Amino acid sequence: MVRTNASNRPHQCDKKMDKAKPVWRIPLADIDLGPEEEAAVLDVLRRRWLSMGEVTAAFEADFATLTGARHTLAVTNCTAALHLAGLALGWGPGDEVIVPSLTFVATANAVRYTGATPVFADVTGVDDFGLSAEDVAERITPHTRAIVVVHYAGYAADMPAIMALAERHGLDVVEDVAHAPGATLDGRALGTWGRIGCFSFFANKNMTTGEGGMLATDDDELAERLRLLRSHGMTSLTWDRHQGHAWSYDVVAPGYNYRIDEIRAAIGRVQLAKLEGANSRRRTLDALYRELLPAAVPAIGVPYLAARGVPSCHLRPVLLPKEADRVAFMAAMKAGGIQTSIHYPPVHRFSYYRQDEDGPSLPVTEAIGAREVTLPLYPAMTLADVESVVSAAVDALAIALHSNERPSG
Ligand SMILES: *Cc1c(COP(=O)(O)O)cnc(C)c1O
């Protein structure tokens, strides 16, 4: 079995454990964990308070500084953040929430958790994989409550257009910022444009806590509701009672346990301190991709040549020509030790999301879903690695075009 990208680099393993031989010469992604993370975890273990407390509060404060958001709440993952956002905004059965289909399935699943119906809208075009405000406008009905925007690959969606549309129709905007911590548009952090931003610290994201997430909002009332729902609907935390700040608690909603813990918050603080440097390195590497790819393989489409704002460059997507065989392309890259992936198989095509309707018409999403390949991008890559991926792509495309000329079967 192919190991996941986050675990196949030897320096991440315990020195006493057998190191797995790296499967890939250049993996799709890689995490940067060093002595600072180790020390931060040990410090938490030695202080013997593991559930959400001071370290989490400090992590949230750091994240508020990064984003400029008035309230930040750490949670167990971004999927939980999206669920809480929908609950805090009052989504329920009969409501419609417009989401992209070109996203990770959690964006749509979280809408379902609340009982609301995700309505899929198309993305802008082959150069910009963000939600199309024009297409969103066509999907608005009297039942529409909100729009969930995904900042694909760490590039800002067209927030001015989407916010203006939402305002005209009285809709809430939630941002799925899983790809875009530290990214900005017009000097404003992504995740603070809409009413609530939902961040992910999963192992392959720009910063990680293993599993983890963060909510950001400027709205005091929403923040209070999110805080209650994150922890069983209880009015005080174990930490508050330990500190002698509270003797008891009331329960004011059937909340969840979507808390992070001190161990992960400690890792998060170290990762957050590295984020700006890591994002800047990603931008340098991505700039080289954007320079080399169009010259070396003009048949391959390179989206986001001109990006809005300052991106976090989470992914480097490319579009193969229609006539290329994507499986053959990815197999040829793999033969050269280079891991690639697809972001994303469109959500509206999955069995679960196909069951209740004929399916929406999403021509741009379908075209991207059929042709997209994601190339390796992570801060520890060298410029030579990027050159090596590009030259492998030249050869892989030749194979992929040739293999499609042969009659199949
Ligand atoms: C990773 C991801 C999520 C889910 O994040 P988790 O922290 O794993 O729950 C949601 N949306 C997008 C776009 C993602 O990439």
Side-chain angles (χ1 to χ4, degrees):
M1 204 182 125
V2 174
R3 306 198 37 159
T4 62
N5 52 47
S7 58
N8 62 12
R9 297 288 272 216
H11 67 258
Q12 289 158 15
C13 301
D14 188 310
K15 288 182 182 66
K16 281 167 243 127
M17 278 167 62
D18 276 348
K19 287 173 190 167
K21 211 169 157 252
V23 174
W24 304 99
R25 186 163 62 85
I26 305 177
L28 184 70
D30 192 17
I31 48 182
D32 169 20
L33 290 180
E36 300 96 329
E37 283 86 351
E38 290 177 15
V41 168
L42 265 182
D43 185 52
V44 168
L45 296 182
R46 285 171 182 159
R47 285 202 279 159
R48 304 181 62 79
W49 186 270
L50 301 186
S51 66
M52 210 168 67
E54 306 186 278
V55 183
T56 301
F59 181 34
E60 292 173 340
D62 293 348
F63 213 81
T65 304
L66 172 79
T67 54
R70 199 169 146 78
H71 304 279
T72 43
L73 287 95
V75 288
T76 192
N77 56 57
C78 178
T79 308
L82 289 162
H83 183 196
L84 292 181
L87 291 172
L89 291 169
W91 304 347
D95 294 334
E96 294 176 359
V97 176
I98 298 175
V99 301
S101 172
L102 192 74
T103 182
F104 182 59
V105 67
T107 317
N109 283 350
V111 174
R112 277 276 191 228
Y113 299 167
T114 68
T117 305
V119 171
F120 296 105
D122 214 347
V123 294
T124 304
V126 292
D127 293 319
D128 176 358
F129 296 2
L131 261 186
S132 155
E134 239 169 73
D135 194 69
V136 169
E138 286 181 18
R139 319 245 172 203
I140 295 173
T141 74
H143 303 291
T144 308
R145 287 288 297 269
I147 303 166
V148 182
V149 175
V150 174
H151 300 294
Y152 181 102
Y155 294 94
D158 188 355
M159 292 313 286
I162 287 165
M163 294 308 294
L165 177 70
E167 200 160 314
R168 274 204 302 284
H169 293 269
L171 308 176
D172 291 322
V173 173
V174 170
E175 294 173 83
D176 178 337
V177 213
H179 296 184
T184 60
L185 175 63
D186 301 341
R188 186 163 162 190
L190 300 187
T192 64
W193 282 75
R195 294 200 69 196
I196 304 177
C198 304
F199 295 83
S200 173
F201 309 132
F202 182 62
N204 63 9
K205 301 288 158 69
N206 284 35
M207 59 173 280
T208 185
T209 58
E211 300 274 1
M214 188 75 74
L215 286 152
T217 184
D218 285 337
D219 185 309
D220 298 350
E221 264 174 53
L222 277 179
E224 203 37 51
R225 242 175 290 164
L226 292 167
R227 194 179 304 283
L228 284 168
L229 290 169
R230 171 176 67 172
S231 195
H232 309 286
M234 289 163 64
T235 53
S236 80
L237 286 172
T238 315
W239 174 249
D240 301 323
R241 294 191 297 280
H242 179 75
Q243 294 293 97
H245 297 154
W247 299 107
S248 185
Y249 56 84
D250 191 15
V251 172
V252 294
Y256 296 80
N257 177 357
Y258 279 172
R259 296 183 304 258
I260 199 165
D261 59 68
E262 298 286 89
I263 304 167
R264 291 188 285 159
I267 299 172
R269 293 197 74 194
V270 179
Q271 288 275 302
L272 183 51
K274 295 178 180 175
L275 181 69
E276 208 180 294
N279 282 355
S280 156
R281 174 69 183 164
R282 285 172 177 275
R283 285 191 289 271
T284 301
L285 294 161
D286 198 66
L288 185 59
Y289 268 131
R290 282 181 280 117
E291 179 195 326
L292 296 180
L293 280 167
V297 262
I300 289 183
V302 184
Y304 297 107
L305 282 177
R308 275 184 208 96
V310 182
S312 58
C313 294
H314 173 54
L315 304 171
R316 172 27 67 194
V318 295
L319 287 179
L320 300 187
K322 277 190 208 67
E323 58 281 14
D325 177 340
R326 179 165 61 180
V327 173
F329 180 89
M330 293 175 76
M333 295 296 277
K334 182 181 176 188
I338 296 167
Q339 188 183 21
T340 59
S341 182
I342 296 169
H343 291 89
Y344 288 95
V347 175
H348 74 286
R349 292 295 208 133
F350 290 132
S351 309
Y352 174 73
Y353 284 102
R354 265 179 7 197
Q355 64 199 358
D356 42 17
E357 335 149 39
D358 299 337
S361 163
L362 303 167
V364 184
T365 297
E366 303 255 350
I368 294 169
R371 293 166 51 201
E372 197 272 346
V373 173
T374 305
L375 302 179
L377 184 60
Y378 52 92
M381 270 182 102
T382 63
L383 297 175
D385 285 337
V386 173
E387 285 169 9
S388 156
V389 173
V390 171
S391 71
V394 174
D395 299 341
L397 183 64
I399 292 167
L401 289 169
H402 183 67
S403 92
N404 240 11
E405 278 163 17
R406 283 197 299 258
S408 56

